[in-house]
Amino acid sequence: MKVRIGGLRVRRGILGLLAGVISACLSLIAPAAAQDVSAPTGSIRVLREAWSDADERGYSEFIKGLGRANCRTIDQCLKNPANPFARSDPPGSFWRADCADLPYFLRGYYAWKRGLPFSYINAVSPKGSTRDIRYTTRGNDIASRRDILTGSTSGAALLRDLRDTISSAMYRLHPDMEATDLYPTRIDRKSIKPGSVLYDPNGHVAVVYDVESDGRILFMDAHPDNSLTRGTYGRKFVRSSPGMGAGFKNWRPAKLEGAVRTPEGLLVGGRVVFAKNAELADYSVEQYFGNVARTGEDRQWLSGPFVLEGQNVDYYDYVRAMMGGGSLAFEPLAEVRNMIRANCEDIRYRAEAVDLAIQNRIHMKAQPSRLPQNIYGTEGEWEEFSTPSRDARLKASFKELRDQVQRFVEWHAIGDKRVHYQGTNLLTDLLLAYDQEANACVITYLRSNGTPVQLSYEEVRRRMFLLSFDPYHCIERRWGATQPAEAMTCSDDAVKSEWYAAEQYLRNQIDRTYDARMDFSLFDLKQGPGPGRGVDAPPDIDARGYFVTMISQGGIPRPAAPPVIAPGAPTAAKK
């Protein structure tokens, strides 16, 4: 009997040893062969103490695959063949995530499927007083976190809890803080990779899914309506003071300590501890203070320069250069084509969002007596079906294109080596490239009576500041119709018409003011532009008009010296 019991213990010991060997071997498996080790019941099972380099590579490949897949919601993406773990998901699963949830959702999903340790901040507290913890001026502190241990929950329950718990407030942490889920990373191709996280302090979060050879960073982001979109990093992601925690981040290495390994190879109990900033090879605060010696105080952050090849450059140019190999080089024609294609895709994403509001008949409801407390950051019906943030980012992208082409033309005129162009007439070639790409972009919407209206890229650009973000307006106004032949089918009553007119100053605004009180009545909006009520006139976003004007004037005079590029950044979150 003792022999039998001893033999049983030996066999269990051998099984435990084998489980440990298997676990170690799994950490060496190539990312393409990542094995799903989640339990059939969906219960969390932790098999390894820490993420290995192979695990991180596997996660990057997982994110890259989803980003490249033809899916428009997180549910579609996780049911797409690009997800190697889809077959083990609980039957009938339906996955949801908005922009703040998405990075945690994807990281938690992968950890569940691979038996990896996972922990997340589940509460933060504001530094100072605030109306909304997501938009604190000085940032937040960590209040509590939750370790996901073997048997503590199921994978599906974890993802639901993340959806209900995570907000953009969890990203609003000072870059010097320790024990955060994410840390600010160095700006280079080795550090910023698929799976890196991008936080806009105006309340938006995205996940990097690829980096092109020319340095363009591709991201995917989710929205309250459950849509998933893709884009290219640019000036629509603003910089901010360090306390707001904006910018690129990577997942902080974590290790499960104090766990007991069972004979089956499971790690039970323990606690998750995190690597310190000083232990992270790619930890860096250069996004906030520049790539030279750090200034002494946070309030001086904007004075930190970005120096590239001995020259002060704009932050966004610095990012592009470092991600492209270390030097700044633009091929103007390719840049214009890529930016127009990205803008066109954003227009199509907007069309899907507007259609969703129409399908849910939000436009048939009465106009509320007041706007939300803040139109860019709210909840409920307005959050799910309005488009002020989406529209603002679209406007910012069009303005970036307009400003960028002017820089290309001016740099080329002085022989700046940053512009790579082999032709004989840059303005004419840029106009031709612009028209070719713009003409290939057409969207169609259905008027209230069901008749189709086609809008070209240029027509959308001309209407950009007429596009209503208000979900209670008819679809004609959502698409900026003003001519009677198109607008006559709109069923909005006189009150909604007044609201549409009064919201013009808000539509003129390209910056998202999340800290402003905006619960205005119709009477308030009629008082004209002012704090929280918008601006008097929109910025110039007409790139084509710039080309035509310059060509008609015979090009630009050759300046005596290159323009001075300030080391600062866009304005929306400078506090």
Side-chain angles (χ1 to χ4, degrees):
M1 183 68 174
K2 289 181 181 178
V3 174
R4 291 175 62 191
I5 293 175
L8 180 60
R9 286 176 177 169
V10 169
R11 287 194 296 273
R12 285 181 174 172
I14 292 174
L15 288 173
L17 178 60
L18 287 173
V21 172
I22 291 170
S23 176
C25 290
L26 282 175
S27 68
L28 300 177
I29 293 176
Q35 181 180 351
D36 186 345
V37 298
S38 59
T41 61
S43 178
I44 292 290
R45 303 194 306 171
V46 181
L47 299 178
R48 273 167 281 176
E49 295 176 340
W51 290 57
S52 67
D53 290 342
D55 291 323
E56 292 292 354
R57 290 194 299 272
Y59 182 65
S60 286
E61 290 299 318
F62 170 69
I63 295 298
K64 185 175 182 177
L66 296 185
R68 292 290 186 183
N70 183 24
C71 50
R72 294 300 183 101
T73 68
I74 189 63
D75 185 66
Q76 289 179 7
C77 287
L78 291 187
K79 292 172 181 174
N80 189 280
N83 177 17
F85 311 113
R87 291 184 179 181
S88 68
D89 287 343
S93 298
F94 182 81
W95 309 113
R96 296 183 63 92
D98 67 14
C99 73
D101 307 335
L102 185 64
Y104 281 88
F105 187 99
L106 294 173
R107 187 75 171 184
Y109 181 88
Y110 192 84
W112 164 35
K113 296 296 182 176
R114 298 283 285 127
L116 297 165
F118 183 66
S119 177
Y120 66 95
I121 296 167
N122 61 357
V124 294
S125 57
K127 292 181 177 180
S129 59
T130 183
R131 287 197 299 265
D132 192 326
I133 199 170
R134 295 172 297 176
Y135 309 112
T136 47
T137 302
R138 294 167 51 198
N140 299 321
D141 284 317
I142 301 171
S144 65
R145 69 164 45 254
R146 181 190 181 195
D147 293 346
I148 304 302
L149 307 177
T150 293
S152 62
T153 185
S154 70
L158 166 63
L159 299 181
R160 286 194 300 270
D161 290 341
L162 289 173
R163 186 184 68 208
D164 295 338
T165 301
I166 299 299
S167 77
S168 59
M170 276 68 176
Y171 301 84
R172 211 173 185 85
L173 304 173
H174 196 284
D176 289 342
M177 290 180 67
E178 301 280 2
T180 55
D181 296 332
L182 298 145
Y183 64 91
T185 187
R186 189 173 57 233
I187 304 295
D188 61 35
R189 290 186 68 90
K190 185 176 180 181
S191 302
I192 298 176
K193 54 189 181 296
S196 295
V197 176
L198 176 57
Y199 172 53
D200 181 338
N202 282 338
H204 198 62
V205 189
V207 177
V208 175
Y209 74 85
D210 209 353
V211 179
E212 300 283 20
S213 59
D214 62 1
R216 289 182 299 128
I217 301 170
L218 309 182
F219 66 83
M220 55 182 170
D221 52 350
H223 305 274
D225 61 9
N226 202 38
S227 63
L228 190 79
T229 59
R230 293 160 180 81
T232 305
Y233 176 72
R235 295 167 193 272
K236 57 190 172 187
F237 284 87
V238 301
R239 293 180 70 205
S240 72
S241 58
M244 293 186 188
F248 294 97
K249 305 169 186 284
N250 278 336
W251 290 96
R252 186 179 294 270
K255 184 176 182 180
L256 180 62
E257 292 189 349
V260 175
R261 189 175 291 279
T262 70
E264 294 78 20
L266 300 180
L267 289 168
V268 178
R271 57 187 289 267
V272 178
V273 297
F274 295 89
K276 294 186 178 299
N277 293 338
E279 300 170 339
L280 304 173
D282 62 346
Y283 169 84
S284 174
V285 294
E286 66 177 331
Q287 298 176 68
Y288 309 96
F289 299 103
N291 67 334
V292 296
R294 177 174 174 174
T295 55
E297 299 181 14
D298 283 5
R299 61 186 175 84
Q300 297 174 296
W301 70 279
L302 265 182
S303 64
F306 292 90
V307 180
L308 186 68
E309 299 176 333
Q311 180 181 6
N312 278 14
V313 297
D314 173 89
Y315 168 73
Y316 297 90
D317 286 344
Y318 177 77
V319 171
R320 177 66 180 272
M322 297 306 293
M323 298 306 294
S327 61
L328 193 60
F330 293 106
E331 297 183 8
L333 304 184
E335 292 291 326
V336 166
R337 289 184 184 279
N338 286 333
M339 294 180 78
I340 292 176
R341 289 170 189 167
N343 288 348
C344 183
E345 192 67 9
D346 285 343
I347 293 170
R348 293 190 172 113
Y349 289 141
R350 183 188 188 275
E352 293 174 1
V354 170
D355 287 347
L356 189 63
I358 299 299
Q359 291 165 14
N360 283 270
R361 302 181 63 80
I362 308 300
H363 65 298
M364 301 302 292
K365 297 185 177 183
Q367 185 85 36
S369 61
R370 288 183 176 273
L371 291 176
Q373 188 173 36
N374 186 286
I375 65 171
Y376 303 105
T378 183
E379 57 187 17
E381 199 168 69
W382 183 276
E383 179 187 34
E384 188 169 355
F385 297 111
S386 70
T387 57
S389 294
R390 192 188 297 260
D391 291 357
R393 288 191 293 271
L394 184 61
K395 294 167 189 173
S397 294
F398 270 73
K399 185 178 187 303
E400 182 177 7
L401 172 59
R402 163 62 180 81
D403 294 345
Q404 194 76 310
V405 297
Q406 182 173 346
R407 291 204 305 165
F408 292 153
V409 171
E410 291 177 351
W411 287 351
H412 178 64
I414 61 172
D416 196 303
K417 65 180 182 180
R418 289 172 289 189
V419 176
H420 292 191
Y421 170 69
Q422 302 300 320
T424 58
N425 191 320
L426 179 60
L427 278 167
T428 300
D429 286 348
L430 283 172
L431 178 59
L432 177 61
Y434 184 99
D435 284 345
Q436 287 176 342
E437 292 299 332
N439 291 339
C441 177
V442 178
I443 68 106
T444 302
Y445 83 87
L446 298 180
R447 291 196 297 168
S448 298
N449 66 352
T451 57
V453 175
Q454 282 195 339
L455 299 177
S456 67
Y457 179 92
E458 267 296 281
E459 181 61 24
V460 173
R461 195 271 309 160
R462 282 189 287 268
R463 299 181 179 202
M464 186 65 66
F465 297 96
L466 297 173
L467 306 181
S468 176
F469 53 74
D470 194 322
Y472 301 100
H473 293 167
C474 66
I475 194 167
E476 289 86 351
R477 285 200 167 112
R478 297 300 303 273
W479 285 108
T482 55
Q483 295 301 312
E486 181 183 349
M488 63 185 298
T489 52
C490 175
S491 59
D492 285 357
D493 59 23
V495 172
K496 289 187 177 184
S497 297
E498 288 188 83
W499 272 95
Y500 175 77
E503 288 172 351
Q504 183 61 57
Y505 300 115
L506 288 171
R507 292 194 296 274
N508 289 344
Q509 182 170 288
I510 199 167
D511 293 330
R512 291 155 282 163
T513 51
Y514 285 86
D515 58 333
R517 188 71 179 260
M518 305 177 76
D519 51 346
F520 300 116
S521 66
L522 178 59
F523 174 81
D524 295 331
L525 289 179
K526 285 183 174 181
Q527 305 312 302
R533 297 196 303 270
V535 297
D536 185 57
D540 180 11
I541 63 170
D542 187 2
R544 191 181 193 282
Y546 172 77
F547 295 141
V548 172
T549 299
M550 290 297 101
I551 291 172
S552 68
Q553 294 176 357
I556 63 173
R558 187 179 183 86
V564 176
I565 304 172
T571 59
K574 291 181 183 177
K575 300 184 178 125

